[in-house]
Amino acid sequence: MFVRELTHEGFRNLHPGVWRPGEGVNILYGENGQGKTNLLEACWLFTGARSFRGAKDSEMVAFGGEKTRLSMAFTAGGREQEATIAIQQRRQATLNGVSQPSAAKLAGVFCGVVFSPTHLSLVKDGPEGRRRFVDGAYCQLKPGYVGALSEFHKALTQRNAFLRQCREENRSGGEEMLELWDHALAVAGARLTVARCHYLQRLEPLAAAIYDGLSGGRETLSLRWETQAETAGSPADIARSWLACFQQAHRADMGAGFSTSGPHRDDLGIYLDNKPVRIYGSQGQQRSAVLALKLAEASLLQEVTGEPPVAFLDDVMSELDVSRQDYILNHIEGWQVFITCCEPSPALRATAGQVFSVKQGVIL
Ligand SMILES: Nc1ncnc2c1ncn2[C@@H]1O[C@H](COP(=O)(O)OP(=O)(O)OP(=O)(O)O)[C@@H](O)[C@H]1O
Ligand SMILES: [Mg+2]
């Protein structure tokens, strides 16, 4: 997977232009606030995902402008392809000249992984980001999973609306109706549980090996999908297990006015030597754990698609010691990589990559 050319217009502070990165390591350096992350963000949108900064689409349109237009030529699936994204109130996309029903349809065509300092929240903050990580990563492997996620959220919204109504109207009873929603949610939820556990089974050995390399074998990383449901058995068994959870929670749910249990409460447990890294990990251990997860995500994509994804490493290297920088650079050899930094370190300068400076939105 290679980005050949990015044409951008009206995107944040970037001056309209065309950027042609190299096939290997691309270093983007410049002072703070010059547009390095903006450039990665523009490329990233072609994965079909939302901004990795959590920005709303409208926030990416240049100040005072009405729309932004991006087009990217890239190599994927062994051929040259082209996609465009336009943001004007909503996001629209074309792929090889064909208009797409939504920009999310680009998922699975152009694949990338991103690591930015905001991703440290993956270990530091609550479970929502970890669920998003696993779900997002799985969507790139199996684009059909987007549909499973939206079906689950639809079922959850409906069940919650019913519970809220019961609470507002101070209605008792309604259990029969609630059971209908239980069923829908259990079936949709089981699809999520199956997918998430399957993904973790494949991700864990890769992440553990990468962490081992990063830490010089000092600690062992392990991952666990933490959920209330049984995770063993067939999808029907898992659905039955969710159904039992929902039924047990009727009283609590009626009281709360929303679904207090379900796959929307699951968590990805990340452990170092069997201790939760969120609680006991040092800064460097937490950073390495996130990097291991992200690089493992990329390795798995490569295993499945047969092509290395593009790696976007925003502000990562500067805070790692030389041996860790070397490990990363060796691990991603042969991949196209974008690395942003203020000042390239000696390890980075030693790579046979291309170097671009970014100044006031201009890439040179
Ligand atoms: N919608 C927008 N329109 C115009 N400029 C914007 C918009 N959104 C952000 N900016 C500007 O973009 C700049 C930030 O760019 P970016 O985050 O890419 O910086 P950076 O080079 O990555 O800096 P750092 O090294 O601090 O991470 C800021 O000056 C900000 O004001
Ligand atoms: Mg930045």
Side-chain angles (χ1 to χ4, degrees), residues 107-123:
V109 181
F110 173 74
C111 298
V113 284
V114 59
F115 180 91
S116 94
T118 56
H119 289 118
L120 285 175
S121 63
L122 204 57
V123 284

PDB file of all heavy atoms in Angstrom, residues 107-123:
ATOM      1  N   ALA A 107     -13.210   2.235   3.451  1.00  0.00           N
ATOM      2  CA  ALA A 107     -12.585   1.318   4.419  1.00  0.00           C
ATOM      3  C   ALA A 107     -12.260  -0.002   3.730  1.00  0.00           C
ATOM      4  O   ALA A 107     -13.066  -0.531   2.971  1.00  0.00           O
ATOM      5  CB  ALA A 107     -13.516   1.068   5.603  1.00  0.00           C
ATOM      6  N   GLY A 108     -11.060  -0.499   3.987  1.00  0.00           N
ATOM      7  CA  GLY A 108     -10.683  -1.782   3.397  1.00  0.00           C
ATOM      8  C   GLY A 108     -10.050  -1.642   2.018  1.00  0.00           C
ATOM      9  O   GLY A 108      -9.514  -2.603   1.491  1.00  0.00           O
ATOM     10  N   VAL A 109     -10.115  -0.444   1.424  1.00  0.00           N
ATOM     11  CA  VAL A 109      -9.475  -0.243   0.112  1.00  0.00           C
ATOM     12  C   VAL A 109      -8.081   0.329   0.330  1.00  0.00           C
ATOM     13  O   VAL A 109      -7.077  -0.249  -0.063  1.00  0.00           O
ATOM     14  CB  VAL A 109     -10.325   0.698  -0.773  1.00  0.00           C
ATOM     15  CG1 VAL A 109      -9.654   0.866  -2.139  1.00  0.00           C
ATOM     16  CG2 VAL A 109     -11.736   0.157  -0.930  1.00  0.00           C
ATOM     17  N   PHE A 110      -8.062   1.476   0.994  1.00  0.00           N
ATOM     18  CA  PHE A 110      -6.776   2.064   1.380  1.00  0.00           C
ATOM     19  C   PHE A 110      -6.623   1.825   2.886  1.00  0.00           C
ATOM     20  O   PHE A 110      -7.476   2.231   3.674  1.00  0.00           O
ATOM     21  CB  PHE A 110      -6.777   3.566   1.061  1.00  0.00           C
ATOM     22  CG  PHE A 110      -5.557   4.281   1.584  1.00  0.00           C
ATOM     23  CD1 PHE A 110      -4.334   4.115   0.963  1.00  0.00           C
ATOM     24  CD2 PHE A 110      -5.632   5.089   2.711  1.00  0.00           C
ATOM     25  CE1 PHE A 110      -3.207   4.753   1.451  1.00  0.00           C
ATOM     26  CE2 PHE A 110      -4.507   5.729   3.210  1.00  0.00           C
ATOM     27  CZ  PHE A 110      -3.292   5.560   2.571  1.00  0.00           C
ATOM     28  N   CYS A 111      -5.570   1.100   3.284  1.00  0.00           N
ATOM     29  CA  CYS A 111      -5.448   0.729   4.700  1.00  0.00           C
ATOM     30  C   CYS A 111      -4.257   1.422   5.353  1.00  0.00           C
ATOM     31  O   CYS A 111      -3.178   1.502   4.769  1.00  0.00           O
ATOM     32  CB  CYS A 111      -5.258  -0.766   4.856  1.00  0.00           C
ATOM     33  SG  CYS A 111      -6.650  -1.702   4.246  1.00  0.00           S
ATOM     34  N   GLY A 112      -4.467   1.899   6.557  1.00  0.00           N
ATOM     35  CA  GLY A 112      -3.384   2.542   7.288  1.00  0.00           C
ATOM     36  C   GLY A 112      -3.524   2.299   8.774  1.00  0.00           C
ATOM     37  O   GLY A 112      -4.579   1.864   9.254  1.00  0.00           O
ATOM     38  N   VAL A 113      -2.435   2.509   9.489  1.00  0.00           N
ATOM     39  CA  VAL A 113      -2.526   2.554  10.953  1.00  0.00           C
ATOM     40  C   VAL A 113      -1.894   3.858  11.394  1.00  0.00           C
ATOM     41  O   VAL A 113      -0.960   4.350  10.776  1.00  0.00           O
ATOM     42  CB  VAL A 113      -1.776   1.413  11.671  1.00  0.00           C
ATOM     43  CG1 VAL A 113      -2.527   0.126  11.582  1.00  0.00           C
ATOM     44  CG2 VAL A 113      -0.377   1.283  11.190  1.00  0.00           C
ATOM     45  N   VAL A 114      -2.442   4.395  12.459  1.00  0.00           N
ATOM     46  CA  VAL A 114      -1.931   5.685  12.928  1.00  0.00           C
ATOM     47  C   VAL A 114      -1.584   5.591  14.400  1.00  0.00           C
ATOM     48  O   VAL A 114      -2.259   4.905  15.168  1.00  0.00           O
ATOM     49  CB  VAL A 114      -2.975   6.795  12.662  1.00  0.00           C
ATOM     50  CG1 VAL A 114      -4.287   6.510  13.363  1.00  0.00           C
ATOM     51  CG2 VAL A 114      -2.454   8.164  13.055  1.00  0.00           C
ATOM     52  N   PHE A 115      -0.491   6.230  14.758  1.00  0.00           N
ATOM     53  CA  PHE A 115      -0.174   6.378  16.174  1.00  0.00           C
ATOM     54  C   PHE A 115       0.083   7.850  16.419  1.00  0.00           C
ATOM     55  O   PHE A 115       0.939   8.459  15.783  1.00  0.00           O
ATOM     56  CB  PHE A 115       1.071   5.571  16.564  1.00  0.00           C
ATOM     57  CG  PHE A 115       1.407   5.730  18.015  1.00  0.00           C
ATOM     58  CD1 PHE A 115       0.882   4.855  18.948  1.00  0.00           C
ATOM     59  CD2 PHE A 115       2.183   6.784  18.453  1.00  0.00           C
ATOM     60  CE1 PHE A 115       1.153   5.026  20.298  1.00  0.00           C
ATOM     61  CE2 PHE A 115       2.454   6.966  19.803  1.00  0.00           C
ATOM     62  CZ  PHE A 115       1.941   6.080  20.731  1.00  0.00           C
ATOM     63  N   SER A 116      -0.692   8.438  17.278  1.00  0.00           N
ATOM     64  CA  SER A 116      -0.445   9.838  17.624  1.00  0.00           C
ATOM     65  C   SER A 116      -0.513   9.950  19.148  1.00  0.00           C
ATOM     66  O   SER A 116      -1.026   9.045  19.808  1.00  0.00           O
ATOM     67  CB  SER A 116      -1.480  10.733  16.948  1.00  0.00           C
ATOM     68  OG  SER A 116      -2.564  10.982  17.797  1.00  0.00           O
ATOM     69  N   PRO A 117       0.022  11.033  19.696  1.00  0.00           N
ATOM     70  CA  PRO A 117       0.026  11.131  21.158  1.00  0.00           C
ATOM     71  C   PRO A 117      -1.375  10.979  21.761  1.00  0.00           C
ATOM     72  O   PRO A 117      -1.511  10.493  22.877  1.00  0.00           O
ATOM     73  CB  PRO A 117       0.577  12.533  21.407  1.00  0.00           C
ATOM     74  CG  PRO A 117       1.398  12.838  20.200  1.00  0.00           C
ATOM     75  CD  PRO A 117       0.714  12.155  19.055  1.00  0.00           C
ATOM     76  N   THR A 118      -2.415  11.333  21.006  1.00  0.00           N
ATOM     77  CA  THR A 118      -3.773  11.193  21.554  1.00  0.00           C
ATOM     78  C   THR A 118      -4.097   9.720  21.806  1.00  0.00           C
ATOM     79  O   THR A 118      -4.969   9.417  22.613  1.00  0.00           O
ATOM     80  CB  THR A 118      -4.847  11.759  20.600  1.00  0.00           C
ATOM     81  OG1 THR A 118      -4.703  11.091  19.343  1.00  0.00           O
ATOM     82  CG2 THR A 118      -4.715  13.240  20.391  1.00  0.00           C
ATOM     83  N   HIS A 119      -3.372   8.817  21.126  1.00  0.00           N
ATOM     84  CA  HIS A 119      -3.661   7.396  21.317  1.00  0.00           C
ATOM     85  C   HIS A 119      -3.184   6.847  22.644  1.00  0.00           C
ATOM     86  O   HIS A 119      -3.518   5.722  23.005  1.00  0.00           O
ATOM     87  CB  HIS A 119      -3.077   6.573  20.170  1.00  0.00           C
ATOM     88  CG  HIS A 119      -3.827   6.782  18.899  1.00  0.00           C
ATOM     89  ND1 HIS A 119      -3.263   7.314  17.778  1.00  0.00           N
ATOM     90  CD2 HIS A 119      -5.128   6.586  18.606  1.00  0.00           C
ATOM     91  CE1 HIS A 119      -4.183   7.421  16.837  1.00  0.00           C
ATOM     92  NE2 HIS A 119      -5.314   6.985  17.312  1.00  0.00           N
ATOM     93  N   LEU A 120      -2.414   7.635  23.371  1.00  0.00           N
ATOM     94  CA  LEU A 120      -2.033   7.186  24.716  1.00  0.00           C
ATOM     95  C   LEU A 120      -3.277   7.022  25.571  1.00  0.00           C
ATOM     96  O   LEU A 120      -3.290   6.268  26.540  1.00  0.00           O
ATOM     97  CB  LEU A 120      -1.074   8.187  25.357  1.00  0.00           C
ATOM     98  CG  LEU A 120       0.339   8.122  24.780  1.00  0.00           C
ATOM     99  CD1 LEU A 120       1.195   9.220  25.372  1.00  0.00           C
ATOM    100  CD2 LEU A 120       0.954   6.758  25.091  1.00  0.00           C
ATOM    101  N   SER A 121      -4.339   7.724  25.173  1.00  0.00           N
ATOM    102  CA  SER A 121      -5.606   7.581  25.896  1.00  0.00           C
ATOM    103  C   SER A 121      -6.090   6.134  25.827  1.00  0.00           C
ATOM    104  O   SER A 121      -6.895   5.711  26.647  1.00  0.00           O
ATOM    105  CB  SER A 121      -6.664   8.520  25.321  1.00  0.00           C
ATOM    106  OG  SER A 121      -6.921   8.158  23.990  1.00  0.00           O
ATOM    107  N   LEU A 122      -5.579   5.400  24.846  1.00  0.00           N
ATOM    108  CA  LEU A 122      -5.954   3.994  24.724  1.00  0.00           C
ATOM    109  C   LEU A 122      -5.636   3.214  26.000  1.00  0.00           C
ATOM    110  O   LEU A 122      -6.385   2.318  26.383  1.00  0.00           O
ATOM    111  CB  LEU A 122      -5.164   3.406  23.546  1.00  0.00           C
ATOM    112  CG  LEU A 122      -5.705   2.194  22.835  1.00  0.00           C
ATOM    113  CD1 LEU A 122      -7.092   2.410  22.297  1.00  0.00           C
ATOM    114  CD2 LEU A 122      -4.770   1.799  21.706  1.00  0.00           C
ATOM    115  N   VAL A 123      -4.537   3.536  26.644  1.00  0.00           N
ATOM    116  CA  VAL A 123      -4.278   2.871  27.919  1.00  0.00           C
ATOM    117  C   VAL A 123      -4.713   3.729  29.102  1.00  0.00           C
ATOM    118  O   VAL A 123      -5.123   3.207  30.126  1.00  0.00           O
ATOM    119  CB  VAL A 123      -2.796   2.479  28.141  1.00  0.00           C
ATOM    120  CG1 VAL A 123      -2.427   1.277  27.339  1.00  0.00           C
ATOM    121  CG2 VAL A 123      -1.860   3.599  27.920  1.00  0.00           C
TER     122      VAL A 123
END
